[in-house]
Amino acid sequence: MPVERMLLAWLLCEIFEDNDTSHALIYFHPFENGAECGVNADVEKHLELGKKLLAAGQLADALSQFHAAVDGDPDNYIAYYRRATVFLAMGKSKAALPDLTKVIELKMDFTAARLQRGHLLLKQGKLDEAEDDFKKVLKSNPSENEEKEAQAQLIKSDEMQRLRSQALDAFESSDYTAAITFLDKILEVCVWDAELRELRAECFIKEGEPRKAISDLKAASKLKNDNTEAFYKISTLYYQLGDHELSLSEVRECLKLDQDHKRCFAHYKQVKKLNKLIESAEELIRDGRYTEATSKYESVMKTEPSVSEYTIRSKERICHCFSKDEKPVEAIRVCSEVLQMEADNVNALKDRAEAYLIEEMYDEAIQDYETAQEHNENDQQIREGLEKAQRLLKQSQKRDYYKILGVKRNAKKQEIIKAYRKLALQWHPDNFQNEEEKKKAEKKFIDIAAAKEVLSDPEMRKKFDDGEDPLDAETQQGGGGNPFHRSWNSWQGFNPFSSGGPFRFKFHFN
C-alpha cells in the first residue's frame, strides 16, 4: 500500500475512532483516479497537492488547496469529498456535512460519502437520517467492507433508538437516575447530540449534581448555534454554586448572542452588582481595611439572601476580617456560625484558631488547627499555627508575661507601660515591712519588671508570642541563666517610670 494512502487511512481511522484501517480504506477508492471526474489541469493540481499536504498532516494548507479545487470546479465531487475529509480531521463536523451532502447529490452511488455522512448523523443523534443513509448503502451494490460497515451501523442506530425511548420514558416518570444511565450509553455513540446533553443536564440538576450539568451544557452550547438557553443555565448554576465570576462570564456570552435576552439581562445586572461588592470587599481586605470590608460583605448577604453559598462565604470573610483586626470575641462568634453550616471549612477553622490564641484559649486553638490539618495536611500556615499554639499552651503553664501585667496579648505598648507602672508602684518592696510580705513583693516586682522588659521590646515580644521565653535560660541556646533571676538587692534604685534604663534612684515609701 502506498505510504500516502496508509497515512490517509490512518487519519480517517482517527476521525471514525476505528483501529481497523480496512474500514477506513473503503472511503478512498475515488482517490485513485481523479481524471474520471473530468477535472481540468489546475483543479487536478490543487487536488494532488492537497492530498500530499493532508497525508503530511498539514491540514490548514490542505484545506486551502481543496477550497481552490471546489472554486475551480463546483461540480467536482472529489474536491468536496476531500475537503470534507480535512474538515473532519480538524474536528469540524458541521462544515463536513454540507460537503458530503454535495458529494451525494453529484454522485448518488458514492457509497463512501454516504457511509461517512451516516456516521456523522449518528454521532449528532439524527438517527432516522443516519439509518436512511445506511439502508441506501446496502441497496447500492456496496463492497464487502461497505456492507459490513453499514450493517454494523444500522444495528447500533436501532440500539440508540431503543435507549432514547427508555431515557425519555424515565425522564417523564421523574426517574432521573435511570434516565442518566440510558443517556450515558446513548451519548457514548451520539456524542454530538446537543438535545440529549441538555436532557442529561436537566437530570443532573434534579439529582443535585450541578457541576455535571454544567459540563453537559457547555458541550451543548458549542454543538448548537446561538444556544442562549445553555449559557443562561450555565450562568445560573455557577451563581447557585457561589462562583460569581464564572456566572458573570457565562451570562455575558448569552448577551453577546442576544443583547435583548430578558432573562440573561436581568441575571446579568444581579451578578454584576454582587460581583462588584465582592471585588470591592476583597480589595479592602488586601489594604487591611477590615471594618469597611466587613460592611461590604454584610451588603453582599443583603443583596443575595436566598443563595446560602453567598451567606456562608460572606460570613467566612467577615470571620477573617475580625480575626485579622484582632477582635477575637467577634471572630469566634462569626467563625462558629460558619462552622455550624460548614464543619470542614478550613479557612474558618484557621481564623477561629487565631482568635482563640488572642483570647489565650490554647486548647481550643489546638483543636481547631488539628481539625483543619485533617482536611488540608499540606497547609504550612496550619502547621505553623498548630506548633505555635502548642508552644503557647506549654508556655502558659509557666510564666506568662501578659498575665503578670494583666493585659491582653494584642495590647499596645502604651497599655503595657501603663499596666507596668501601676503594678510596679503597687508591689514595690519598700511598701512592705513584714519580711515574708517583702519577699513575696520582691518576687512579684521582679516578674513585673521582666514582663515589662520583654513586652516593651518588639523582638523579645515576638519571640514570646511565638512560644519562646527570651528570659528563660532553658529555651535560649548557649544558656547563660535568666537575667531576672537575681535578688531584690540588684534592683535597688530601679525606677518604674523610666523608659528602660535600669537604675536611676531608690524609692522609699513611708
Side-chain angles (χ1 to χ4, degrees):
M1 184 190 302
V3 174
E4 287 184 359
R5 194 175 181 198
M6 287 180 66
L7 287 169
L8 287 167
W10 172 82
L11 190 57
L12 270 185
C13 285
E14 290 295 305
I15 296 166
F16 287 94
E17 301 172 0
D18 186 349
N19 292 324
D20 187 350
T21 56
S22 64
H23 291 175
L25 290 178
I26 65 176
Y27 303 120
F28 281 90
H29 68 266
F31 285 8
E32 297 300 327
N33 188 8
E36 285 182 8
C37 307
V39 294
N40 60 44
D42 287 339
V43 171
E44 187 173 2
K45 183 179 177 181
H46 287 307
L47 288 173
E48 283 302 311
L49 182 55
K51 186 170 71 171
K52 290 178 181 179
L53 291 166
L54 176 58
Q58 296 174 247
L59 302 182
D61 293 333
L63 187 61
S64 296
Q65 294 300 321
F66 295 140
H67 279 323
V70 169
D71 292 340
D73 185 358
D75 294 327
N76 189 313
Y77 71 91
I78 292 296
Y80 287 106
Y81 187 74
R82 289 183 178 169
R83 188 169 70 176
T85 302
V86 178
F87 279 135
L88 289 172
M90 298 173 81
K92 298 179 179 180
S93 61
K94 287 182 182 178
L97 264 178
D99 275 359
L100 292 171
T101 299
K102 186 67 176 177
V103 172
I104 295 167
E105 288 174 3
L106 292 169
K107 190 170 177 60
M108 295 290 290
D109 62 344
F110 194 166
T111 54
R114 198 176 286 281
L115 265 177
Q116 213 163 345
R117 188 176 71 172
H119 192 91
L120 293 180
L121 291 169
L122 184 61
K123 283 193 170 187
Q124 290 184 345
K126 297 177 180 178
L127 303 180
D128 292 335
E129 295 177 48
E131 285 184 1
D132 184 61
D133 270 343
F134 298 137
K135 287 175 180 176
K136 284 181 179 177
V137 168
L138 293 174
K139 292 177 182 178
S140 63
N141 193 27
S143 68
E144 184 180 344
N145 282 334
E146 288 173 336
E147 183 178 2
K148 183 179 178 182
E149 179 72 10
Q151 287 175 341
Q153 294 301 318
L154 267 176
I155 292 170
K156 189 180 291 185
S157 181
D158 288 342
E159 176 69 6
M160 294 305 105
Q161 293 277 25
R162 183 182 64 80
L163 288 170
R164 175 181 277 181
S165 178
Q166 290 176 312
L168 292 173
D169 288 343
F171 184 82
E172 291 297 322
S173 302
S174 300
D175 188 353
Y176 304 115
T177 302
I180 289 170
T181 301
F182 293 131
L183 289 167
D184 286 345
K185 293 178 182 177
I186 301 171
L187 286 167
E188 287 177 4
V189 176
C190 306
V191 291
W192 299 332
D193 191 324
E195 283 75 17
L196 289 183
R197 287 195 177 275
E198 289 174 342
L199 182 64
R200 189 168 67 174
E202 284 299 314
C203 293
F204 282 135
I205 291 169
K206 297 290 187 182
E207 289 291 288
E209 297 188 80
R211 295 200 180 277
K212 289 183 179 180
I214 288 170
S215 179
D216 268 343
L217 289 168
K218 282 191 172 183
S221 71
K222 295 175 182 176
L223 292 167
K224 189 191 295 185
N225 291 331
D226 301 330
N227 197 344
T228 55
E229 188 64 21
F231 284 116
Y232 174 72
K233 286 184 178 179
I234 294 168
S235 179
T236 55
L237 286 171
Y238 274 132
Y239 187 78
Q240 294 294 322
L241 288 168
D243 200 329
H244 54 96
E245 292 178 336
L246 284 176
S247 178
L248 187 60
S249 174
E250 295 296 332
V251 78
R252 280 175 173 157
E253 292 300 317
C254 174
L255 292 173
K256 283 179 185 178
L257 296 172
D258 181 4
Q259 61 182 2
D260 297 321
H261 195 289
K262 290 184 179 180
R263 287 187 299 165
C264 281
F265 186 69
H267 185 59
Y268 169 74
K269 289 196 296 184
Q270 173 70 3
V271 182
K272 188 178 180 182
K273 181 180 180 182
L274 198 71
N275 190 65
K276 188 175 180 180
L277 281 170
I278 293 171
E279 285 184 345
S280 177
E282 287 302 308
E283 186 175 346
L284 289 168
I285 289 175
R286 286 192 293 271
D287 292 341
R289 296 157 65 183
Y290 300 114
T291 301
E292 295 170 70
T294 297
S295 178
K296 286 286 183 185
Y297 271 115
E298 287 171 349
S299 297
V300 169
M301 290 189 285
K302 291 176 183 176
T303 301
E304 186 44 88
S306 59
V307 180
S308 61
E309 193 66 27
Y310 293 105
T311 299
I312 294 172
R313 296 296 151 250
S314 295
K315 285 182 176 290
E316 177 190 314
R317 298 306 281 160
I318 291 171
C319 148
H320 178 72
C321 289
F322 281 141
S323 180
K324 291 298 180 184
D325 208 21
E326 296 190 340
K327 295 178 178 177
V329 175
E330 295 90 337
I332 292 168
R333 174 178 57 80
V334 179
C335 291
S336 298
E337 290 175 7
V338 175
L339 291 165
Q340 284 177 353
M341 296 182 281
E342 212 173 64
D344 59 351
N345 189 307
V346 172
N347 291 327
L349 286 165
K350 289 195 292 187
D351 285 323
R352 189 171 71 173
E354 286 294 318
Y356 279 142
L357 288 182
I358 295 173
E359 286 292 281
E360 301 175 17
M361 299 169 70
Y362 305 122
D363 288 320
E364 290 84 351
I366 289 170
Q367 184 177 345
D368 273 356
Y369 277 129
E370 287 177 341
T371 304
Q373 196 170 52
E374 289 174 8
H375 297 292
N376 192 348
E377 59 183 18
N378 297 319
D379 190 316
Q380 186 176 352
Q381 186 181 3
I382 295 173
R383 187 165 56 252
E384 291 174 353
L386 177 58
E387 290 171 358
K388 178 180 177 180
Q390 289 169 336
R391 287 197 304 269
L392 289 172
L393 175 62
K394 186 177 179 181
Q395 183 187 84
S396 70
Q397 296 164 351
K398 297 180 180 179
R399 181 166 56 173
D400 188 329
Y401 295 125
Y402 289 103
K403 287 184 177 179
I404 289 170
L405 294 183
V407 296
K408 292 285 187 181
R409 297 192 76 87
N410 60 346
K412 305 297 182 186
K413 186 174 181 178
Q414 294 87 338
E415 296 176 67
I416 290 167
I417 298 298
K418 183 178 179 181
Y420 159 70
R421 288 174 175 169
K422 179 180 177 181
L423 290 170
L425 287 174
Q426 178 184 344
W427 290 98
H428 197 289
D430 284 354
N431 289 339
F432 301 89
Q433 302 302 319
N434 181 281
E435 282 302 315
E436 188 174 335
E437 289 180 348
K438 185 182 283 290
K439 285 182 180 179
K440 179 182 176 181
E442 287 176 2
K443 183 180 183 306
K444 289 280 287 183
F445 189 83
I446 290 170
D447 285 343
I448 292 164
K452 181 259 183 184
E453 186 73 11
V454 170
L455 299 183
S456 61
D457 182 285
E459 288 188 20
M460 294 177 77
R461 183 175 181 179
K462 185 179 185 307
K463 282 186 178 182
F464 186 74
D465 286 343
D466 288 338
E468 175 186 343
D469 187 345
L471 302 182
D472 186 349
E474 293 181 8
T475 64
Q476 302 301 306
Q477 291 184 354
N482 188 335
F484 284 97
H485 287 178
R486 50 197 181 211
S487 68
W488 157 243
N489 293 331
S490 54
W491 288 95
Q492 293 291 315
F494 183 77
N495 180 1
F497 292 96
S498 73
S499 60
F503 302 104
R504 293 297 180 86
F505 55 87
K506 183 177 180 181
F507 275 91
H508 294 280
F509 295 86
N510 296 321

